PDB file of all heavy atoms in Angstrom:
ATOM      1  N   ALA A 163     -19.648   8.997 -87.791  1.00  0.00           N
ATOM      2  CA  ALA A 163     -19.802   7.610 -88.255  1.00  0.00           C
ATOM      3  C   ALA A 163     -21.210   7.373 -88.774  1.00  0.00           C
ATOM      4  O   ALA A 163     -21.411   6.744 -89.825  1.00  0.00           O
ATOM      5  CB  ALA A 163     -19.473   6.641 -87.131  1.00  0.00           C
ATOM      6  N   ILE A 174     -24.706   3.977-102.513  1.00  0.00           N
ATOM      7  CA  ILE A 174     -24.832   2.634-103.101  1.00  0.00           C
ATOM      8  C   ILE A 174     -26.294   2.228-103.294  1.00  0.00           C
ATOM      9  O   ILE A 174     -26.576   1.098-103.696  1.00  0.00           O
ATOM     10  CB  ILE A 174     -24.083   1.579-102.270  1.00  0.00           C
ATOM     11  CG1 ILE A 174     -24.693   1.430-100.882  1.00  0.00           C
ATOM     12  CG2 ILE A 174     -22.612   1.936-102.160  1.00  0.00           C
ATOM     13  CD1 ILE A 174     -24.041   0.334-100.042  1.00  0.00           C
ATOM     14  N   GLY A 268     -24.572  -8.336 -66.277  1.00  0.00           N
ATOM     15  CA  GLY A 268     -24.501  -9.615 -65.589  1.00  0.00           C
ATOM     16  C   GLY A 268     -25.788 -10.404 -65.642  1.00  0.00           C
ATOM     17  O   GLY A 268     -25.961 -11.384 -64.901  1.00  0.00           O
ATOM     18  N   ALA A 289     -47.480 -18.254 -80.445  1.00  0.00           N
ATOM     19  CA  ALA A 289     -47.614 -19.414 -79.557  1.00  0.00           C
ATOM     20  C   ALA A 289     -46.259 -19.866 -79.046  1.00  0.00           C
ATOM     21  O   ALA A 289     -46.117 -20.253 -77.872  1.00  0.00           O
ATOM     22  CB  ALA A 289     -48.312 -20.563 -80.297  1.00  0.00           C
ATOM     23  N   ALA A 291     -43.549 -17.897 -78.637  1.00  0.00           N
ATOM     24  CA  ALA A 291     -43.098 -16.915 -77.650  1.00  0.00           C
ATOM     25  C   ALA A 291     -43.815 -17.109 -76.318  1.00  0.00           C
ATOM     26  O   ALA A 291     -43.194 -17.046 -75.249  1.00  0.00           O
ATOM     27  CB  ALA A 291     -43.322 -15.504 -78.186  1.00  0.00           C
ATOM     28  N   SER A 341     -36.421  -0.181 -82.037  1.00  0.00           N
ATOM     29  CA  SER A 341     -36.935   0.059 -83.397  1.00  0.00           C
ATOM     30  C   SER A 341     -38.090  -0.889 -83.714  1.00  0.00           C
ATOM     31  O   SER A 341     -38.083  -1.581 -84.733  1.00  0.00           O
ATOM     32  CB  SER A 341     -35.823  -0.125 -84.438  1.00  0.00           C
ATOM     33  OG  SER A 341     -34.836   0.858 -84.335  1.00  0.00           O
ATOM     34  N   LYS A 364     -38.102   0.408 -97.563  1.00  0.00           N
ATOM     35  CA  LYS A 364     -39.256   0.873 -98.315  1.00  0.00           C
ATOM     36  C   LYS A 364     -40.501   0.169 -97.799  1.00  0.00           C
ATOM     37  O   LYS A 364     -40.475  -1.019 -97.453  1.00  0.00           O
ATOM     38  CB  LYS A 364     -39.089   0.589 -99.810  1.00  0.00           C
ATOM     39  CG  LYS A 364     -38.098   1.494-100.500  1.00  0.00           C
ATOM     40  CD  LYS A 364     -38.283   1.531-102.007  1.00  0.00           C
ATOM     41  CE  LYS A 364     -38.072   0.192-102.666  1.00  0.00           C
ATOM     42  NZ  LYS A 364     -37.982   0.302-104.145  1.00  0.00           N
ATOM     43  N   LEU A 369     -44.296  -4.341 -96.443  1.00  0.00           N
ATOM     44  CA  LEU A 369     -45.658  -4.860 -96.612  1.00  0.00           C
ATOM     45  C   LEU A 369     -45.645  -6.297 -97.119  1.00  0.00           C
ATOM     46  O   LEU A 369     -46.464  -7.128 -96.709  1.00  0.00           O
ATOM     47  CB  LEU A 369     -46.439  -3.955 -97.562  1.00  0.00           C
ATOM     48  CG  LEU A 369     -47.950  -4.173 -97.641  1.00  0.00           C
ATOM     49  CD1 LEU A 369     -48.590  -4.032 -96.275  1.00  0.00           C
ATOM     50  CD2 LEU A 369     -48.566  -3.180 -98.620  1.00  0.00           C
ATOM     51  N   GLY A 395     -52.534  -2.271 -68.418  1.00  0.00           N
ATOM     52  CA  GLY A 395     -52.024  -3.414 -67.677  1.00  0.00           C
ATOM     53  C   GLY A 395     -50.657  -3.886 -68.095  1.00  0.00           C
ATOM     54  O   GLY A 395     -50.137  -4.849 -67.520  1.00  0.00           O
ATOM     55  N   LYS A 421     -49.596   7.014 -73.124  1.00  0.00           N
ATOM     56  CA  LYS A 421     -49.797   8.211 -72.305  1.00  0.00           C
ATOM     57  C   LYS A 421     -51.279   8.443 -72.039  1.00  0.00           C
ATOM     58  O   LYS A 421     -51.684   8.750 -70.905  1.00  0.00           O
ATOM     59  CB  LYS A 421     -49.187   9.420 -73.020  1.00  0.00           C
ATOM     60  CG  LYS A 421     -49.292  10.717 -72.222  1.00  0.00           C
ATOM     61  CD  LYS A 421     -48.609  11.865 -72.952  1.00  0.00           C
ATOM     62  CE  LYS A 421     -48.706  13.161 -72.143  1.00  0.00           C
ATOM     63  NZ  LYS A 421     -48.047  14.290 -72.874  1.00  0.00           N
ATOM     64  N   PRO A 443     -22.404  -0.947 -85.271  1.00  0.00           N
ATOM     65  CA  PRO A 443     -21.193  -0.432 -84.597  1.00  0.00           C
ATOM     66  C   PRO A 443     -21.081   1.080 -84.736  1.00  0.00           C
ATOM     67  O   PRO A 443     -20.209   1.606 -85.441  1.00  0.00           O
ATOM     68  CB  PRO A 443     -20.061  -1.165 -85.315  1.00  0.00           C
ATOM     69  CG  PRO A 443     -20.591  -1.416 -86.689  1.00  0.00           C
ATOM     70  CD  PRO A 443     -22.066  -1.671 -86.523  1.00  0.00           C
ATOM     71  N   ALA A 465     -36.083  -2.139 -57.182  1.00  0.00           N
ATOM     72  CA  ALA A 465     -37.152  -3.085 -56.852  1.00  0.00           C
ATOM     73  C   ALA A 465     -36.702  -4.060 -55.765  1.00  0.00           C
ATOM     74  O   ALA A 465     -37.470  -4.399 -54.857  1.00  0.00           O
ATOM     75  CB  ALA A 465     -37.581  -3.842 -58.106  1.00  0.00           C
TER      76      ALA A 465
END
Side-chain angles (χ1 to χ4, degrees):
I174 64 176
S341 293
K364 286 200 298 192
L369 192 57
K421 182 177 180 181

